[in-house]
């Protein structure tokens, strides 16, 4: 399964589904079709052919005069499938053109259809083709998602502006490129039968782990070492990483079906939330190997991890003019290789050992020789038998202030020679007798973008020519082209479908590419690709797994034969004694905890009684069985005894009598009467006048309820007649006075009413299976001593009782303490109990936050002071109820805090290069002026009379200068950075023709044939004078930013409006460019400083308060 996390800010490329069509489709425009269907092989494990692909062009005339909400193109065929393009000319509820690829005949296709396509959609720029807008994606189309594409394809403002070149003669040209891949039938495909190997089940987002585990499993020497780690039959796989891994590897080796990884992730100490987080594979690899290395210490396999994966390199610094050299030896388990700027693995190794010169300002301090020119570099002392190369496909982009994925083409060879060019990568002391020639064993692939995607692996387990693709549960045979060339990344070019048209070849970025390679040294391969068989596996492990397998088979058989059997659950007095007052308080028994029998439906009930006699030692003639019935008030009670005729019927017929609903179980109560010698005797005759009642005794002092027995009473009799018998059951003196109550129901509320001893049982409406609770009466004086003086109050308490686990908000994974509370507790009751527990005098300083059952984290918003009525309201999350609450101890009472607004403000010092984040807390009705006054008391100003202002900065642009009078209640600092700074003197004394302009740093990024401007760094305001040239402004900017001459000489200056740069010459009058007033938002027209961004990422980035999407990998055990 693939988990995608959309980028929270930039929704430009977010794929969105379109609602089903509700408009007529006869509003087509004339179009030109350039599409020819091609056929493809439909079984993936056959020799792989190039998938069918096609380009389709659609010209739409009278575009601006259209008043239709949505528009479909004509149908075109690719890969034998019918497709069409769907557009929303005025946007699908957005101010962008919305465009999707649609399966044209989705409503007529057979149930369960699906098809997979990579595709690109484009709007052609008819003036400059290079400015055409193209976006590509991939999707598995099915009945539920029959169209896919881009809701925000391009801004309507750009599309409808004739000067931009997209709308010419009121016509728009749309292009679609579609590449179809056929999909193997997922449900009927048998990996073991087709390939000899099985896959791993995905727990939610664990495909990254599955690809790594398959790679490690297929290194036989590693697998053998794992099998030889000492484990015992008393270990539990969920608590022992070695045993869990042994178990997993054994199943991969001998199972016929895909294998679950739950035991292994449990042994890591992960909860389900960790399994739904996509982690970094390299990090998981390192952490897992470190754990195994640690667990192998002191065992026969100690040192295996080092033997297989550890290599060494030498860091050196060598002075050029004096005889001084410093070296440091370091070990590595994997190597991180640059992808950006490197065409292949060799180029990355060249870069790895590249010599850096330390000179000029960067001289090396060589101890007694002082500062010296020097060479710095890395050389390899030795490489390991198994070489793991991590390709740096993900890296931090300083210009965009975000992580990006590098999809560039990057080649890797089948054979890797690290002795090449006379051992250029090797240090002088390396052993040259070792031949460092490696052969490729596995290619781990990531498909998707930086915020999510899918992982799988191509492996050749025996280093033969046959490759296999391990994609979660499915394993398929693949050819070498699919495993190597198709994983290089870069762009893929679609073949020309109609050479008669002068179409430029269409290229689209391939989002599936290799991110980790595993090579095995030729001279070690026979040792590493060794034989691993049953004798390598501990006896107890084989036994355990054999038993597991047998149990599985047994369950499977039971399931297959379930229709032939009935489960009979037999409750007895002993069960009631064991359970009432411990496991249960209401009704009589938990049927899941009584003896159950699996009986063939054809068996006569009388024969079943013999089974019962064997099990319980009760002769058949002394057994009487009662059927249970669910009453209208949802209680479940014994209803009537089986008749002699019913006892001659088969078990299956009886089940149908007892169950109106389709249920495979028959529930019975076994009534056994004991004589004076406590041996079973025949049950008494039961007439219509006899009622079977069950009795529970309550002790208010101990707050204890227990089952004491059952009695037959006459319906015409009165409770007074059985009081002495009840006292005997309770162990009281015969004449002890007792109060009686009937337990009537407990859902949704408890109903338990006193029984009037003067009335007959019939008059009190008592019948078979009813429950009577009794207790000693409580005098008025002693009433205060007990929390729950009578049966109804105790049952109310039990019904609403709830144990809540409290966690500190700072440590959301760890239970801190638990409290027994009532569902009916008010907000004040709950915080008072928490304050008592923490030894806090003022409960109003406690702030509580509810639990999100899905993310297993606190909800983003805390509970407001008295914002809920009851404890139950605090624990509900959608339709689920949790038993976890988070608490914080505040420095001021919560009602007071709620009346305040808290803002995080970044203060930029006027003369020092420093930024300090201040937390400002003021009443909500305060103004920006109040924030500034508060800030002045906390910051260091350049002079006492300095004026401050507050700005809103977002993605390196200034969007707003807050007026002093603006109320702070609606200011949002969650996504925007609030910046405070001194107002420069020059802005206070503006001349009549002076202007204040925005100045931003930027860099250009040409992705997908489109130029994109990326802003970075700190934006600022600048005063420009009427006739001032760029040369004069440059001097002021250099002084303001304190940039060195050498660096500043590389900077370019441009006027930018709506993202398009016009570069300025030294003699240009800058103010003449800033005359337009019709630009929406001053921030869209600015003076741009183009240069590379070398500043480290600020910790107070725009999304400072947001939940992060990735967590570090932790293996807890």
């Amino acid at each position: 399964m693939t988990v995608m996390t959309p980028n929270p800010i930039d929704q430009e490329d977010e794929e969105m589904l379109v609602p089903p069509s509700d408009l007529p489709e006869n509003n087509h425009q004339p179009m030109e079709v350039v599409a020819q269907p091609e056929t493809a092989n439909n079984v993936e494990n056959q020799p792989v052919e190039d998938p069918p692909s096609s380009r389709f062009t659609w010209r739409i005339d009278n575009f601006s005069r259209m008043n239709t909400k949505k528009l479909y193109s004509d149908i075109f065929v690719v890969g034998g499938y019918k497709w069409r393009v769907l557009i929303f000319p005025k946007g699908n509820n957005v101010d962008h053109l919305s465009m999707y690829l649609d399966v044209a005949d989705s409503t007529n296709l057979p149930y369960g259809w699906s098809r997979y396509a990579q595709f690109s959609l484009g709007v052609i720029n008819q003036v400059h083709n290079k400015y055409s807008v193209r976006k590509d994606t991939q999707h598995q189309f099915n009945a539920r998602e029959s169209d896919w594409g881009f809701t925000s394809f391009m801004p309507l403002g750009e599309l409808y502006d004739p000067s931009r070149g997209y709308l010419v003669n009121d016509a728009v040209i749309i292009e679609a490129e579609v590449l179809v891949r056929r999909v193997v039938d997922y449900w009927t495909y048998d990996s073991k039968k087709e390939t000899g190997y099985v896959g791993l089940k995905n727990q939610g987002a664990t495909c990254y782990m599955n690809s790594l585990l398959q790679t490690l499993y297929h290194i036989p020497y590693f697998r053998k070492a794992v099998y030889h780690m000492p484990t015992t039959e008393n270990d539990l796989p969920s608590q022992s990483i070695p045993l869990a891994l042994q178990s997993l590897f054994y199943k991969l080796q001998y199972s016929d079906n895909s294998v679950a990884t739950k035991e292994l992730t449990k042994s890591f100490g992960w909860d389900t939330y960790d399994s739904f987080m996509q982690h970094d594979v390299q990090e998981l690899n390192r952490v897992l190997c470190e754990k195994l290395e640690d667990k192998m210490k002191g065992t026969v396999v100690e040192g295996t991890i080092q033997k297989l994966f550890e290599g060494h390199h030498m860091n050196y610094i060598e002075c050029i003019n004096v005889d001084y050299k410093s070296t440091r030896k370091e070990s590595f388990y994997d190597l991180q290789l640059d992808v950006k700027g490197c065409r292949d693995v060799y180029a990355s190794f060249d870069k790895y050992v590249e010599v850096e010169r330390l000179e000029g300002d960067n001289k090396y301090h060589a101890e007694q020789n002082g500062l010296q020119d020097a060479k710095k570099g890395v050389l390899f002392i030795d490489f390991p038998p198994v070489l793991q190369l991590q390709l740096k496909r993900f890296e931090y982009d300083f210009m965009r202030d975000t992580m990006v994925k590098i999809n560039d083409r990057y080649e890797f060879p089948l054979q890797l020679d690290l002795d090449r060019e006379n051992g250029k990568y090797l240090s002088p002391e390396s052993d040259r007798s070792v031949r460092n020639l490696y052969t490729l064993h596995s290619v781990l692939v990531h498909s998707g973008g930086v915020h999510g995607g899918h992982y799988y692996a191509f492996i050749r387990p025996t280093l033969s020519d046959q490759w296999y693709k391990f994609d979660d549960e499915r394993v398929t045979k693949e050819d070498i082209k699919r495993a190597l060339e198709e994983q290089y990344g870069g762009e893929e070019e679609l073949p020309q479908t109609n050479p008669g048209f002068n179409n430029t070849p269409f290229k689209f970025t391939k989002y599936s590419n290799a991110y980790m390679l595993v090579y095995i040294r030729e001279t070690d391969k026979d040792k590493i690709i060794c034989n691993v068989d049953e004798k390598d596996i501990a006896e107890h492990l084989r036994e355990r797994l054999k038993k597991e397998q047998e149990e599985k088979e047994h369950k499977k058989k039971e399931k297959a034969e379930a229709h032939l059997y009935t489960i009979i659950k037999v409750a007895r007095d002993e069960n009631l004694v064991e359970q009432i007052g411990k496991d249960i308080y209401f009704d009589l028994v938990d049927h899941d905890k009584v003896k159950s029998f699996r009986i063939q439906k054809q068996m006569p009930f009388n024969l079943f009684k013999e089974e019962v006699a064997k099990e319980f030692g009760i002769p058949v003639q002394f057994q009487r069985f009662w059927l249970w019935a669910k009453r209208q008030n949802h209680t479940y009670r014994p209803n009537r005894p089986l008749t002699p005729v019913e006892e001659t019927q088969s078990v299956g017929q009886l089940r149908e009598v007892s169950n109106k609903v389709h249920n495979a179980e028959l529930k019975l109560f076994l009534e056994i009467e004991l004589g004076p010698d406590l041996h079973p005797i025949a049950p008494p005759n039961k007439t219509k006048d006899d009622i079977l009642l069950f009795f529970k005794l309550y002790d208010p002092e101990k707050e204890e309820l227990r089952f004491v027995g059952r009695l037959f009473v006459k319906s015409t009799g009165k409770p007074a007649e059985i009081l002495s018998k009840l006292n005997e059951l309770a162990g009281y003196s015969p004449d002890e006075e007792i109060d009686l109550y009937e337990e009537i129901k407990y859902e949704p509320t408890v109903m338990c009413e006193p029984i009037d001893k003067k009335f007959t049982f019939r008059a009190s409406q008592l019948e078979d299976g009813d429950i009577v609770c009794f207790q000693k009466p409580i005098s008025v004086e002693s009433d205060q001593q007990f929390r729950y003086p009578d049966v109804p109050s105790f049952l109310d308490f039990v019904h609403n009782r709830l144990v809540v686990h409290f966690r500190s908000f700072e440590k959301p994974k760890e239970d801190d303490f638990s409290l027994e509370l009532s569902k009916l507790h008010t907000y004040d009751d709950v915080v008072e109990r928490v304050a008592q527990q923490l030894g806090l005098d003022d409960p109003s300083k406690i702030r509580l936050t509810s639990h999100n059952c899905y993310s297993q984290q606190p909800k983003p918003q805390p509970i407001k002071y008295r914002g809920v009525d009851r404890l139950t309201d605090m624990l509900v999350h959608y339709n689920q109820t949790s038993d976890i609450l988070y608490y914080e101890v505040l420095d001021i009472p919560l009602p007071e805090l709620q009346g305040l607004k808290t803002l995080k403000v970044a203060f930029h010092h006027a003369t020092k290069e420093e930024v300090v984040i201040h937390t400002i807390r003021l009443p909500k009705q305060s103004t920006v002026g109040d924030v500034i006054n508060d800030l002045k008391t906390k910051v260091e100003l350049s002079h006492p009379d300095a004026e401050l202002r507050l700005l809103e900065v977002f993605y390196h642009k200034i969007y707003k200068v807050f007026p002093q009078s603006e109320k702070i209640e609606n200011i949002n600092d969650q996504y925007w950075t609030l910046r405070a700074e001194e107002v420069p003197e020059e802005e206070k004394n503006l001349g009549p023709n002076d202007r204040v302009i925005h100045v931003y740093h930027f860099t250009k990024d040409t992705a997908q044939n489109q130029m994109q401007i990326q802003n970075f760094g700190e934006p600022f305001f600048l005063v420009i004078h009427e006739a001032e040239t760029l040369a004069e402004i440059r001097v002021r900017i250099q002084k303001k930013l304190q940039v060195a001459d050498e660096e500043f000489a590389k900077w370019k200056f441009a006027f930018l409006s709506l993202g398009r740069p016009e570069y300025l010459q030294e003699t240009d009058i800058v103010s003449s460019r800033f005359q337009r007033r019709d630009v929406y938002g001053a921030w869209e027209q600015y003076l741009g400083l183009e240069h590379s961004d070398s500043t480290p990422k600020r910790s107070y980035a725009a999304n400072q308060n947001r939940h992060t999407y990735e967590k570090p990998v932790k293996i807890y055990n």
Side-chain angles (χ1 to χ4, degrees), residues 1018-1058:
E1018 296 298 345
F1020 59 92
F1021 289 123
L1022 185 73
V1023 174
I1024 56 171
H1025 310 302
E1026 188 175 11
E1028 203 172 14
T1029 62
L1030 176 64
E1032 294 165 311
I1033 287 172
R1034 276 179 70 106
V1035 173
R1036 289 201 288 128
I1037 288 178
Q1038 185 177 3
K1039 187 180 172 191
K1040 180 181 175 76
L1041 300 180
Q1042 297 178 332
V1043 184
D1045 290 350
E1046 188 184 351
E1047 172 62 25
F1048 198 66
K1050 300 174 192 168
W1051 289 25
K1052 293 181 190 170
F1053 287 69
F1055 166 74
L1056 282 97
S1057 178
L1058 294 169

Side-chain angles (χ1 to χ4, degrees), residues 57-85:
T57 306
W58 179 20
R59 179 187 170 90
I60 309 173
D61 292 312
N62 305 318
F63 189 76
S64 64
R65 294 199 289 282
M66 261 192 244
N67 58 5
T68 179
K69 186 180 182 212
K70 61 165 91 164
L71 189 62
Y72 286 96
S73 75
D74 273 353
I75 291 168
F76 57 99
V77 177
V78 186
Y81 296 138
K82 293 178 178 177
W83 305 91
R84 58 186 174 178
V85 176

Side-chain angles (χ1 to χ4, degrees), residues 69 87 100 135 242 466 505 721 733:
K69 186 180 182 212
I87 67 163
Y100 311 87
K135 293 187 178 182
Q466 181 61 66
E721 296 160 18
S733 60

Side-chain angles (χ1 to χ4, degrees), residues 288-327:
L288 181 58
C289 283
E290 276 168 22
K291 282 278 169 193
L292 289 174
E293 195 179 332
D294 191 42
K295 309 263 183 198
M296 286 177 177
K297 279 183 183 148
T299 75
V300 289
V301 286
E302 181 172 358
T304 300
I305 302 289
Q306 291 97 314
K307 256 186 247 165
L308 278 177
F309 303 118
E310 189 177 48
H312 299 89
H313 48 49
M314 177 187 79
N315 293 297
Y316 67 87
I317 299 177
E318 189 174 357
C319 293
I320 294 167
N321 302 318
V322 297
D323 184 18
Y324 182 87
K325 187 173 183 178
S326 161
T327 60

Side-chain angles (χ1 to χ4, degrees), residues 604-620:
F605 189 79
N606 281 325
L607 267 182
F608 164 68
K609 288 173 80 171
E610 289 176 19
E611 295 270 326
V612 174
K614 270 189 254 169
E615 179 67 34
F616 297 132
I618 309 287
V620 168

Side-chain angles (χ1 to χ4, degrees), residues 28-169:
H28 303 321
Q29 299 293 317
M31 66 199 74
E32 171 193 1
V33 178
V34 187
Q36 307 205 333
E38 298 178 24
T39 55
N41 205 329
N42 65 348
V43 180
E44 205 170 347
N45 57 342
Q46 300 276 315
V48 183
E49 293 180 10
D50 286 332
S53 60
S54 177
R55 174 189 292 177
F56 166 76
T57 306
W58 179 20
R59 179 187 170 90
I60 309 173
D61 292 312
N62 305 318
F63 189 76
S64 64
R65 294 199 289 282
M66 261 192 244
N67 58 5
T68 179
K69 186 180 182 212
K70 61 165 91 164
L71 189 62
Y72 286 96
S73 75
D74 273 353
I75 291 168
F76 57 99
V77 177
V78 186
Y81 296 138
K82 293 178 178 177
W83 305 91
R84 58 186 174 178
V85 176
L86 163 61
I87 67 163
F88 287 68
K90 300 288 192 290
N92 186 5
N93 301 318
V94 290
D95 57 359
H96 283 63
L97 172 72
S98 306
M99 181 149 58
Y100 311 87
L101 181 66
D102 177 56
V103 175
D105 53 350
S106 59
T107 51
N108 307 325
L109 291 173
Y111 179 77
W113 69 270
S114 88
R115 63 184 67 163
Y116 174 76
Q118 283 172 275
F119 63 94
S120 99
L121 300 171
V123 174
I124 303 303
N125 190 304
Q126 298 167 57
V127 178
H128 295 292
N129 193 286
K130 66 177 183 177
Y131 291 128
S132 296
V133 181
R134 284 195 177 91
K135 293 187 178 182
D136 44 83
T137 183
Q138 49 201 352
H139 185 58
Q140 182 89 35
F141 292 86
N142 54 45
R144 219 173 58 246
E145 296 173 356
S146 62
D147 43 36
W148 196 260
F150 308 91
T151 296
S152 298
F153 185 80
M154 67 181 290
L156 294 174
E158 282 183 30
L159 178 65
Y160 283 93
D161 181 348
S163 67
R164 294 297 180 89
Y166 301 107
L167 189 66
V168 175
N169 299 327

